[in-house]
Amino acid sequence: MTTDDLTGQMTGLTGELREAFGEDLLSVVLYGSAARSDHQGSGSDLNIVVVLRDIGLESLERGTRPTRAWEAKGNRPLLFFSPEWISRSCDVFPLEFLDIVAWHRVIHGPDPFAGLVVSSENLRLQCESEIKTKLIHLRTGYIAFHEDAGQLARLMAASFAPIVTLCRGVLRLAGREVPSTAHEVIRLGAELCGFDPAPFDDVAAVKRGGPAAASLGMKALFKNYCAQVEAMARAVDAGLPANGAKR
């Protein structure tokens, strides 16, 4: 997707949302990979937050047409927030909100994430909880699919982006600057937590090109990958130096 294509999509969506919600539409924000330098150009990577005065169910009904049209193009569902919901929810979604704060583009209206502060302790708790949850899923999947290379490849590929997000949180927890590319995030996270970044490169290759893109067999790669995720979890559990979550 070219810059002109992206601009056209954002302009069209904003117009449809303004028609649907009128003055209740406060902001439209693009976030995620499309707002970072590692965007690969896929329309499916377009993540949008729509900020409304009122996110009650009756109000949201007005967004049926633009929402359906947006998803029919292969895009991810729109996220509907209110200013109050944002201010009351950053304590339970610190990873997600810090990523949005770091990489977003305001398409319409004021910036709803300007000045948002996220607690380092809340970030630590979410990092520890989610990385251990990812390990549970990987282990459970291994029990079911350790004889199926294709399924193991799919399990690893599906876990890669969430684990990169967790690694960004770990870097923020330690007060480190967070790079925009997944490769650099993993490399710096490995230096901080003491794990081997090499399996992540193979899993990224599998995510892009399938099992044949890896340098190892799927079973060996899966075991090595899980061992590195476990090392990251142990580092978080042991308590990284928390210098404050950087915006």
Side-chain angles (χ1 to χ4, degrees):
M1 179 184 296
T2 67
T3 300
D4 288 344
D5 290 337
L6 179 59
T7 300
Q9 283 218 47
M10 295 300 96
T11 300
L13 174 63
T14 300
E16 293 175 5
L17 290 168
R18 292 179 68 179
E19 183 177 347
F21 293 105
E23 293 185 358
D24 284 339
L25 177 66
L26 301 179
S27 301
V28 179
V29 178
L30 173 71
Y31 73 96
S33 62
R36 298 197 303 265
S37 61
D38 62 339
H39 180 44
Q40 300 299 311
S42 170
S44 63
D45 289 336
L46 299 182
N47 299 283
I48 303 291
V49 168
V50 180
V51 183
L52 304 174
R53 295 183 194 278
D54 178 13
I55 54 172
L57 296 183
E58 290 188 3
S59 175
L60 292 178
E61 287 181 11
R62 293 183 284 168
T64 299
R65 180 178 294 178
T67 297
R68 287 177 177 170
W70 179 252
E71 292 183 32
K73 296 174 183 176
N75 296 309
R76 296 178 181 178
L78 302 172
L79 298 182
F80 289 91
F81 296 168
S82 68
E84 180 189 20
W85 194 92
I86 292 172
S87 66
R88 293 176 59 188
S89 301
C90 62
D91 57 340
V92 291
F93 300 116
L95 276 168
E96 292 80 3
F97 275 107
L98 283 170
D99 267 359
I100 292 174
V101 168
W103 294 292
H104 69 280
R105 288 171 49 191
V106 177
I107 306 302
H108 168 78
D111 186 347
F113 303 106
L116 192 68
V117 177
V118 176
S119 159
S120 293
E121 180 58 18
N122 290 336
L123 177 61
R124 187 195 68 78
L125 288 172
Q126 190 186 12
C127 284
E128 184 174 353
S129 172
E130 293 208 9
I131 198 167
K132 290 180 177 179
T133 300
K134 294 294 181 294
L135 279 168
I136 290 171
H137 289 165
L138 288 169
R139 291 169 183 151
T140 302
Y142 183 79
I143 292 170
F145 301 120
H146 65 90
E147 296 176 326
D148 188 329
Q151 289 283 14
L152 291 179
R154 282 186 279 275
L155 279 169
M156 289 186 288
S159 73
F160 181 76
I163 288 175
V164 171
T165 297
L166 283 166
C167 200
R168 287 198 293 265
V170 169
L171 290 174
R172 291 190 176 105
L173 191 62
R176 306 292 179 86
E177 294 295 330
V178 180
S180 61
T181 66
H183 176 79
E184 283 299 301
V185 167
I186 293 297
R187 185 184 67 79
L188 292 180
E191 291 179 3
L192 177 66
C193 298
F195 64 84
D196 180 5
F200 290 87
D201 291 336
D202 267 340
V203 173
V206 169
K207 182 177 172 64
R208 291 191 301 268
S215 62
L216 296 174
M218 287 303 99
K219 196 166 186 175
L221 176 58
F222 195 98
K223 290 179 178 180
N224 200 358
Y225 179 63
C226 282
Q228 308 319 312
V229 177
E230 174 71 35
M232 190 195 308
R234 288 182 180 277
V236 175
D237 191 42
L240 294 167
N243 297 331
K246 286 181 178 278
R247 291 204 301 268

